Amino acid sequence: MNQITPIAGEKRRKSALPKGRQLDEAALLEVQQALGDAPRSRDMLIEHLHKIQDRNGCLPAAHLKALADEMRLSQAEVYEVASFYDHFDVVREGDDHPAPLTIRVCDSLSCMMAGAEDLIAGLEAGINPEHVRVMRAPCMGRCATAPAARIGDCEVDHATTDHLLEMADNGEFDAAVPEYIPLHAYQEYGGYQVLDRVRSGALDADTLMSVMSDAGLRGLGGAGFPAGRKWGFVRSYEGPRLMTVNGDEGEPGTFKDRHYLETDPHRMLEGALIAAHAVEAERVYIYMRDEYPAVLEILRTEIAALEEAEIIEPGFVELRRGAGAYICGEESAMIESIEGKRGLPRHRPPYIAEVGLFGRPTLNHNVETLWWIRDIVENGPEWFASQGKPGHPGPRSWSVSGRVKEPGVKLAPAGVTVTELIEEYCGGMADGHTFKAYLPGGASGGILPASMGDIPLDFGDDLFRHGALVGSHAVVVLSDRDNIRNVTLNLMKFFAHESCGQCTPCRSGTEKMVTLLSRSGSLDEDAIRDLEQVMRDASICGLGQAAPNPVNHLLTHFREDL
């Protein structure tokens, strides 16, 4: 038999060692110290990756190998998850670690209009790249105070180059937690009394579902499904059941959930506990986006306070931290992420009400939906329903940004028009700007001209017949100074960046749409329309199906900007 002769200078693996990357004992010790006594179960993978990233400023290859060994997973499983999420920095052997400080600048639409490009250019010119790195980031949920940035864990409103550089020099990197209503103050004004009535049996599940249905409470994260009916569906499937709270508020232009959690978090928490009791959920998982470090700190503190006050059993409410993936706003992708996997939307049916988290029937709600439950039970369904316009029950929290004098979260009736929002709630258009167009529901909702400013904003046919959606109730107002082709390109770049990559129509379609919109001169409208139809017909989830909405409206309503 011929023997293989090693090539001169070739490093050969010792026969006693397994194939592949070898375990670094020092890295293993650091991983074990970072994880502490936390369980090593598969669903904790993303939480453990966060702990290593927080400790090291990145995810070195040796530590990923050590984590795989510690959790008894393959390296491929760990790597595919770590490389999927934007907030994880995977560093291979021999590569440099990222700079110790990161400044993220939002380049989504509202921040772009407020000068994000100049801010990024100024920072790149002013920093030492060995000590600070500047990164573009999708929507940070601070659109009313654009341009927004984050230095370390400190969120910065109305960011300027000089201020951020000064903060970098002064070491101001920690999360800035605003004043909010803590547990003791919330209880002083009747907090958790409704939950007590529910737990005592004074309010049973059927009564609660009827109250929610009569009030017209709907899911306020985008889909708008009636809350009472959802509870009934989940209860109809045999337990054990679970509940999830989707706090991954990533739709560009949306920031209402952050506002409520940074001011009155227990109103949401009480609503979640009431809903969980109604469907007999054994545990509640709150999935909160990593872009909200102050909210994460508030929730950690107040969940611990609930446990200490014996309002909940330890571990009944579990906080899970996202890692920078817009797709995890889709409920099945969020569930995959909670299970420690890549956030890939599931094929449906079955729906999560039947087969959800860990294969169990799961109730999922948005933050604002839960925030209203206590008030509806206390004041009655008519109180809530009557605050909307005729045929549009309930108040809504509108995230308004862009070219208005007073942007922010505006509590206004369902069915309000954008003209009313601008004039009656936002102080009118910003000085020197004339109303030209608006996004009725974030990036996915499309772009409508000012001539359609009197369409009632709500779920249903009023917007749908124009190819638009109210979605997460994020209204971005555009003016005569904005070129709609540029606006559309900004939105499509966002979708291309955030596509999970699972299906070709979305993965390749969003990238190709960006290419078509980026070409100088006239657009190839035939190619764009063909691509638009393919994306709508063949994408797995709403991201790919709704991504062409702004493009459709550009070609339909804004031909002067082509």
Side-chain angles (χ1 to χ4, degrees), residues 167-421:
M167 292 179 70
D169 289 339
N170 295 337
E172 301 175 33
F173 313 142
D174 294 333
V177 177
E179 291 187 8
Y180 66 92
I181 301 173
L183 176 59
H184 66 86
Y186 182 72
Q187 289 179 302
E188 289 177 4
Y189 293 93
Y192 292 102
Q193 290 182 8
V194 171
L195 178 64
D196 289 341
R197 291 168 58 198
V198 170
R199 287 176 169 174
S200 71
L203 289 169
D204 61 23
D206 290 335
T207 300
L208 286 169
M209 288 189 290
S210 295
V211 168
M212 297 305 128
S213 296
D214 292 345
L217 181 65
R218 307 180 72 156
L220 298 174
F225 195 84
R229 287 177 58 195
K230 182 183 287 190
W231 296 9
F233 285 146
V234 174
R235 283 177 57 86
S236 71
Y237 295 108
E238 186 175 350
R241 307 181 188 96
L242 296 171
M243 179 177 176
T244 55
V245 179
N246 193 336
D248 198 64
E249 185 180 52
E251 185 72 33
T254 315
F255 48 92
K256 60 187 176 67
D257 291 352
R258 178 186 62 80
H259 167 76
Y260 285 129
L261 292 174
E262 287 185 347
T263 54
D264 194 1
H266 281 282
R267 202 167 293 268
M268 182 279 290
L269 289 168
E270 183 173 10
L273 295 176
I274 292 168
H277 187 91
V279 301
E280 300 176 355
E282 292 189 346
R283 182 170 291 188
V284 177
Y285 291 82
I286 300 176
Y287 187 85
M288 185 53 54
R289 67 190 311 229
D290 195 40
E291 289 86 347
Y292 289 173
V295 170
L296 284 162
E297 185 60 33
I298 290 170
L299 289 175
R300 291 188 193 103
T301 301
E302 297 309 312
I303 291 170
L306 289 174
E307 293 178 347
E308 185 177 353
E310 299 184 348
I311 294 173
I312 59 173
E313 294 291 329
F316 181 75
V317 176
E318 190 165 332
L319 180 62
R320 292 295 180 90
R321 180 177 167 192
Y326 165 76
I327 192 62
C328 290
E330 196 276 337
E331 62 181 11
S332 67
M334 176 202 66
I335 282 175
E336 291 286 298
S337 189
I338 293 174
E339 293 180 354
K341 306 170 187 174
R342 295 176 295 167
L344 302 180
R346 297 177 178 177
H347 292 274
R348 295 177 290 185
Y351 294 90
I352 70 165
E354 179 183 4
V355 181
L357 185 61
F358 307 127
R360 298 183 180 185
T362 301
L363 174 67
N364 178 59
H365 270 313
N366 156 265
V367 168
E368 189 195 354
T369 306
L370 298 171
W371 198 88
W372 284 112
I373 289 176
R374 172 193 164 185
D375 286 345
I376 291 172
V377 176
E378 285 184 335
N379 298 294
E382 177 59 29
W383 166 84
F384 182 84
S386 64
Q387 294 185 57
K389 298 266 188 164
H392 304 276
R396 299 288 166 78
S397 304
W398 303 91
S399 305
V400 186
S401 62
R403 310 298 193 181
V404 293
K405 285 183 179 178
E406 300 169 10
V409 176
K410 309 297 178 180
L411 190 62
V416 71
T417 68
V418 71
T419 301
E420 291 170 332
L421 279 175

Side-chain angles (χ1 to χ4, degrees), residues 4-21:
I4 299 175
T5 303
I7 299 173
E10 180 183 41
K11 185 177 181 181
R12 300 196 64 185
R13 174 179 58 86
K14 295 180 180 180
S15 59
L17 295 176
K19 292 181 179 180
R21 183 176 288 114

Side-chain angles (χ1 to χ4, degrees), residues 440 444-448 460 462-470 549 552-553:
S444 303
I447 311 170
L448 296 179
D462 291 320
L463 283 170
F464 188 74
R465 70 169 59 102
H466 298 288
L469 304 168
V470 75
N549 285 344
N552 171 43
H553 291 144

Side-chain angles (χ1 to χ4, degrees), residues 23 72 95 137 158 192 213 221-222 269 293 307 322 332 371 393 447 484 492 504 508 525 541:
L23 180 64
R72 300 183 180 228
D95 289 350
H158 302 297
Y192 292 102
S213 296
L269 289 168
E307 293 178 347
S332 67
W371 198 88
I447 311 170
I484 307 303
M492 286 309 306
T504 302
S508 299
E525 296 189 38
C541 78

Side-chain angles (χ1 to χ4, degrees), residues 113-189:
M113 294 191 295
E117 294 298 331
D118 291 339
L119 177 59
I120 293 170
L123 289 170
E124 289 176 340
I127 55 97
N128 180 343
E130 293 184 2
H131 303 296
V132 181
R133 64 172 174 170
V134 178
M135 297 184 67
R136 293 175 177 270
C139 187
M140 294 181 174
R142 311 190 78 82
C143 319
T145 52
R150 174 175 168 179
I151 179 167
D153 281 339
C154 186
E155 300 161 286
V156 183
D157 297 328
H158 302 297
T160 65
T161 299
D162 290 343
H163 185 210
L164 289 170
L165 293 177
E166 181 181 355
M167 292 179 70
D169 289 339
N170 295 337
E172 301 175 33
F173 313 142
D174 294 333
V177 177
E179 291 187 8
Y180 66 92
I181 301 173
L183 176 59
H184 66 86
Y186 182 72
Q187 289 179 302
E188 289 177 4
Y189 293 93

Side-chain angles (χ1 to χ4, degrees), residues 417-439:
T417 68
V418 71
T419 301
E420 291 170 332
L421 279 175
I422 294 170
E423 298 301 328
E424 299 176 22
Y425 294 88
C426 297
M429 294 292 294
D431 292 339
H433 291 266
T434 300
F435 181 34
K436 175 179 179 177
Y438 68 106
L439 280 64

